[in-house]
C-alpha cells in the first residue's frame, strides 16, 4: 500500500520512511525481510541513499509523530503496536538499539548547543543551494532540499558537490570556500574536495 502513498505524494512527507517500512515490516513482506532491514540499517552501503533518508525520516518522525501524514504509516504496515509512535519506537530499538534517535539526545547541557549547531548547518546549506540555484538541476535541487530538511547534512553536501562535479560546473571562489568550510565543520571525508576538483573556477 506504500506504493499508493508514494504515487499520490512522491514528494510528500516521510515518503521514504513509509515505503521502506511497508517493504520490510508489513504482513506482506517476504520471509526474512525484517532481518534484512536490520542488516541494511546497521551496516549501510556507502551509496545507499534510501536507507540514509529512511533513518533521517525515522528520527524526524520520532521527534514529532504528529507530523506523519494521517493513517498512511498504519495503512502501509498494518502494525499491532497501537500507535505510530509505539511502532516507530520499537522499530528504532530493533534497528539501532540504545543509540539516541535524535541528534544531541541525552547530551544534557550540551543539547541546546547541539541544536544551534544543526540549525547553523541547515542555514548554511540552504544558503548554498540558493546561491547555486542556476547551476543545479531543478529535480536535484528538490532532492537536496529534502536531505537538508530531514537532517542528512553530510549527504546533502556530498550530493551538491557530486552534482556539480558530474556536470563540471564552474563555481565561484566563495561557493568553493563555503563548501570546503562545511566539509571541515562536519568533519566528513575528502569526497567533497575531490569532487570540487572537477569544477573549474567561474568567471
Amino acid at each position: 500500500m506504500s506504493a499508493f502513498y508514494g504515487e499520490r505524494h512522491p514528494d510528500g512527507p516521510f515518503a521514504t520512511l513509509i515505503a521502506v517500512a511497508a517493504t520490510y515490516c508489513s504482513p506482506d513482506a517476504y520471509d526474512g525481510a525484517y532481518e534484512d532491514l536490520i542488516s541494511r540499517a546497521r551496516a549501510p552501503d556507502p551509496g545507499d541513499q534510501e536507507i540514509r533518508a529512511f533513518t533521517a525520516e525515522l528520527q524526524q518522525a520520532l521527534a514529532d509523530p504528529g507530523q506523519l501524514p494521517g493513517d498512511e504509516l498504519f495503512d502501509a504496515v498494518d502494525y499491532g503496536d497501537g500507535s505510530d509512535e509505539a511502532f516507530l519506537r520499537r522499530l528504532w530499538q530493533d534497528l539501532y538499539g540504545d543509540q539516541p534517535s535524535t541528534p544531541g539526545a541525552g547530551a544534557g547541557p550540551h543539547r541546546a548547543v547541539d541544536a544551534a549547531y544543526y540549525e547553523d548547518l541547515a542555514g548554511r546549506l540552504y544558503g548554498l543551494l540558493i546561491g547555486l540555484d542556476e547551476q543545479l538541476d531543478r529535480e536535484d535541487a528538490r532532492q537536496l532540499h529534502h536531505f537538508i530538511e530531514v537532517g542528512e547534512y553530510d549527504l546533502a553536501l556530498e550530493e551538491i558537490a557530486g552534482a556539480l562535479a558530474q556536470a563540471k560546473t564552474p563555481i565561484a571562489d566563495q561557493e568553493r570556500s563555503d563548501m570546503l568550510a562545511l566539509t571541515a565543520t562536519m568533519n566528513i571525508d575528502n569526497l567533497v574536495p575531490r569532487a570540487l576538483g572537477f569544477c573549474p573556477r567561474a568567471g
Side-chain angles (χ1 to χ4, degrees), residues 121 124-125 128 132 144 147-148 152-164 175-176 178-189 191-193 195-196:
L121 282 185
R124 290 165 68 183
L125 285 165
L128 189 60
L132 294 169
L144 292 165
F147 287 147
I148 301 170
E152 281 285 351
Y153 305 127
D154 55 346
L155 178 59
L157 181 60
E158 290 170 356
E159 289 297 311
I160 290 171
L164 294 170
E175 293 162 345
R176 189 185 306 271
D178 288 345
M179 284 186 273
L180 292 175
L182 278 164
T183 301
T185 298
M186 290 189 277
N187 195 28
I188 56 180
D189 62 26
L191 186 153
V192 172
L196 295 180

Side-chain angles (χ1 to χ4, degrees), residues 15-34:
T16 303
L17 170 63
I18 292 170
V20 171
T23 300
Y24 291 96
C25 308
S26 74
D28 297 327
Y30 62 88
D31 289 344
Y34 199 70

Side-chain angles (χ1 to χ4, degrees), residues 26-51:
S26 74
D28 297 327
Y30 62 88
D31 289 344
Y34 199 70
E35 289 74 16
D36 285 350
L37 176 59
I38 293 173
S39 298
R40 187 179 172 193
R42 291 183 179 178
D45 291 332
D48 194 346
Q49 296 181 9
E50 183 182 57
I51 202 66

Side-chain angles (χ1 to χ4, degrees), residues 66-146:
Q67 295 183 70
L68 288 161
D71 294 325
E72 297 289 355
L73 181 61
F74 175 77
D75 290 343
V77 180
D78 193 23
Y79 54 72
D81 299 79
S83 69
D84 286 348
E85 182 175 6
F87 164 71
L88 293 173
R89 290 198 179 284
R90 173 173 63 83
L91 179 60
W92 180 270
Q93 182 68 32
D94 289 346
L95 296 182
Y96 303 109
D98 294 329
Q99 180 179 334
S101 61
T102 53
H110 299 293
R111 191 166 184 178
V113 176
D114 291 341
Y117 168 76
Y118 290 113
E119 287 175 10
D120 177 66
L121 282 185
R124 290 165 68 183
L125 285 165
Y126 281 129
L128 189 60
L129 275 187
I130 292 169
L132 294 169
D133 181 60
E134 294 184 1
Q135 289 100 314
L136 292 169
D137 175 86
R138 178 168 295 185
E139 186 60 35
D140 286 342
R142 185 161 58 180
Q143 182 66 31
L144 292 165
H145 188 281
H146 174 69

